[in-house]
Amino acid sequence: MRVIIKPDYDTVSKWAANYIVYRINKFRPSATRPFVLGLPTGSTPLGMYRELIDLYQKRKVSFENVVTFNMDEYIGLKPQDKQSYRYFMEENFFKHVNLKPQNIHMLNGMTKDYEKECSDYEKAIRQAGGIHLFIGGIGTDGHIAFNEPFSSLSSRTRVKTLTDSTIKANSRFFDGDLSKVPTTVLTVGVATIMDAAEVLILATGENKAKALKHGIEGGVSHVWTISALQMHPHGIIVCDKPATKELSEQTVNYFMEIEKNNF
C-alpha cells in the first residue's frame, strides 16, 4: 500500500486529479481499447472533479475513450432527483467533459429487480475488461462505497441498508433532514472494488482519522472495510495531514520519507 500525505484538501484533490490524468494518458485509450475508471460521489471528491474539469479544459486529457462505472446509487431516487448520485455526477463532472453518454454506467435506483440490476452491473464491468483505476472515498466508520462495517470482504454489487451514522452524515445533502435520506442503496461490493487493477482512496479531514488508522495500521477486518486495501497489490491512499492525526508518528514519517520523490 502507498500512502500519500499532503498538507490539505486542495493538494489532495490536485494530486488525485493529476494521477488520474497521468494514468489515462499513459494508457493511451482508443475506441476499441478504452480506459475504465471507477468513480465516487460525496463531498470528498468534489475538489478532484473540479481539478479534472480544469485539466480537460486545458487540453491535458480527453475522456472521449474513457468508460466510467460509479460506485453506488440510492434506491428510490430518480436520475433527475437533485439528491441522486446520477444528478450529482452530471452536475459536478459528466456535463463538463467529453465523456460519451454510452460510456457512462450507473446503477438504477428505480429498478424493480435489484438482483438483476446488480448482476448486470457486474457483467458490464467484466465486458468492459475490468476497471483499471477505481477511485473511492472513506466513511468515518471506515466504509468504502456503501460497504458498511461487517460487510463481507468478498461482496459483490448488491442492496445494502445504511447505518444510522451514514444516514446522519449524508443528511447534509438533504437539508439536514434525516427523514429524507434513503435508507437503502445499490452499491458495488468490496471484492468488486478490489478486482480493479488499481484502487485510489481519498481521505481528508480529522473526522476520517480513526478510520484511516484502522485502514493502515490495523489488521484486515470486515469491521473496517477500508482495511481490505491492505490486500490489494496496487492500493493507494492519498490523505491530508488532519486525517493522519491518529496514525503513529513512525507511520507518518515512514510514508513521508519513502514518497517524498514520487509522483
Side-chain angles (χ1 to χ4, degrees):
M1 179 193 292
R2 293 180 63 190
V3 178
I4 313 296
I5 302 171
K6 294 297 180 182
D8 51 36
Y9 176 83
D10 288 342
T11 49
V12 166
S13 300
K14 287 179 183 292
W15 192 95
N18 278 286
Y19 191 78
I20 292 168
V21 169
Y22 163 71
R23 281 301 189 199
I24 292 172
N25 290 339
K26 184 178 181 181
F27 190 83
R28 296 183 180 179
S30 65
T32 57
R33 185 174 171 269
F35 186 86
V36 186
L37 182 63
L39 295 173
T41 53
S43 56
T44 301
L46 282 172
M48 178 191 75
Y49 287 133
R50 287 192 292 268
E51 293 293 334
L52 283 173
I53 292 165
D54 183 62
L55 290 167
Y56 164 72
Q57 291 173 342
K58 291 176 178 176
R59 299 186 179 182
K60 301 292 184 181
V61 66
S62 171
F63 294 93
E64 182 179 6
N65 295 312
V66 173
V67 171
T68 66
F69 286 88
N70 261 80
M71 281 187 157
D72 35 45
E73 180 58 280
Y74 287 116
I75 288 176
L77 293 189
K78 297 178 181 179
Q80 62 269 29
D81 191 303
K82 290 186 177 181
Q83 307 306 331
S84 75
Y85 286 148
R86 177 70 195 218
Y87 185 89
F88 174 98
M89 292 303 302
E90 289 289 346
E91 292 299 306
N92 292 295
F93 186 52
F94 292 159
K95 74 178 186 181
H96 303 285
V97 297
N98 63 335
L99 273 165
K100 296 176 181 176
Q102 64 267 30
N103 287 344
I104 295 170
H105 297 83
M106 296 197 71
L107 288 156
N108 176 16
M110 296 301 293
T111 183
K112 300 300 181 183
D113 191 338
Y114 302 140
E115 185 174 347
K116 184 178 187 300
E117 178 69 15
C118 295
S119 176
D120 287 350
Y121 207 66
E122 290 280 342
K123 183 179 179 181
I125 292 173
R126 292 193 299 272
Q127 289 177 336
I131 293 172
H132 295 110
L133 175 60
F134 217 139
I135 312 299
I138 177 176
T140 56
D141 59 4
H143 70 254
I144 50 176
F146 274 123
N147 295 289
E148 305 276 29
F150 303 103
S151 294
S152 169
L153 300 186
S154 63
S155 57
R156 294 288 175 181
T157 304
R158 68 210 188 285
V159 176
K160 281 292 291 179
T161 299
L162 301 183
T163 63
D164 288 345
S165 62
T166 298
I167 291 171
K168 183 178 180 180
N170 288 357
S171 67
R172 67 189 187 278
F173 301 115
F174 293 81
D175 301 320
D177 188 341
L178 296 177
S179 68
K180 293 181 180 179
V181 185
T183 58
T184 53
V185 296
L186 298 176
T187 183
V188 296
V190 178
T192 311
I193 298 169
M194 293 302 121
D195 273 353
E198 192 170 18
V199 179
L200 172 61
I201 299 295
L202 312 176
T204 59
E206 191 175 319
N207 64 329
K208 304 297 177 68
K210 186 175 182 180
L212 199 64
K213 178 178 177 63
H214 283 278
I216 296 172
E217 295 180 335
V220 176
S221 168
H222 64 177
V223 180
W224 300 88
T225 54
I226 179 60
S227 66
L229 194 65
Q230 296 177 28
M231 304 294 291
H232 198 285
H234 300 290
I236 304 173
I237 292 175
V238 56
C239 58
D240 61 9
K241 285 290 288 184
T244 68
K245 185 177 180 180
E246 294 201 22
L247 293 177
S248 71
E249 183 179 353
Q250 182 179 6
T251 297
V252 172
N253 289 342
Y254 170 79
F255 284 113
M256 291 289 288
E257 180 181 344
I258 65 171
E259 294 289 351
K260 63 184 178 182
N261 296 319
N262 293 338
F263 178 92

